[in-house]
């Protein structure tokens, strides 16, 4: 599959891979999840859930924020360094 930009230039190409198998046969022969299905589901304690959520609560909001009224944290713009192509076009290094 080929992808083109607005000017019609080829921007990318990709291959598509598919594996077809009979579901009944795969289910009977497959052992990939046998051990997982045999275990009891893991239950997290409220403390474990709090610990898992801490990094998300500490995330810094960067870039555009669609609804700043509901997001009380300061938004700092994300500044990307210029690309080599942009530097070459402007004549700078």
């Amino acid at each position: 599959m080929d992808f083109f930009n607005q000017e019609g230039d080829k921007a990318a190409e990709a291959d598509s891979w598919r594996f077809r198998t009979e579901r009944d046969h795969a289910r009977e022969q497959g052992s990939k999840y046998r051990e997982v299905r045999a275990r009891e589901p893991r239950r997290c304690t409220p403390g474990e859930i709090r610990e898992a959520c801490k990094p998300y609560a500490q995330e810094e909001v960067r870039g555009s924020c669609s609804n700043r009224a509901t997001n009380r944290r300061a938004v700092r713009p994300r500044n990307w360094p210029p690309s080599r192509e942009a530097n070459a076009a402007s004549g700078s290094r």
Side-chain angles (χ1 to χ4, degrees), residues 56-67:
Y56 298 102
Q58 296 168 353
E59 276 186 333
E60 179 183 357
V61 177
R62 304 236 357 237
S64 177
C65 188
S66 61
N67 189 354

Side-chain angles (χ1 to χ4, degrees), residues 1 10 16 20 36 39 45-46 58 61 64 79 87 91-92:
M1 178 178 287
K10 187 174 181 180
S16 178
R20 296 182 182 260
V36 174
R39 288 193 313 242
T45 65
Q58 296 168 353
V61 177
S64 177
N79 297 314
N87 286 340
S92 62

Side-chain angles (χ1 to χ4, degrees), residues 5 17-19:
N5 64 15
W17 294 77
R18 292 191 183 116
F19 296 91

Side-chain angles (χ1 to χ4, degrees), residues 79-93:
N79 297 314
W80 300 98
S83 65
R84 280 181 262 157
E85 292 82 3
N87 286 340
S90 68
S92 62
R93 292 190 130 229

Side-chain angles (χ1 to χ4, degrees), residues 22-67:
E22 296 178 30
R23 291 177 186 235
D24 290 337
H25 179 74
R27 187 173 23 255
E28 290 167 11
Q29 300 300 315
S31 60
K32 182 176 180 180
Y33 298 107
R34 190 172 293 148
E35 291 176 20
V36 174
R37 279 190 235 114
R39 288 193 313 242
E40 283 292 318
R42 185 178 187 295
R43 305 285 182 209
C44 295
T45 65
E48 289 172 323
I49 294 172
R50 274 193 302 278
E51 282 298 311
C53 291
K54 275 185 184 177
Y56 298 102
Q58 296 168 353
E59 276 186 333
E60 179 183 357
V61 177
R62 304 236 357 237
S64 177
C65 188
S66 61
N67 189 354

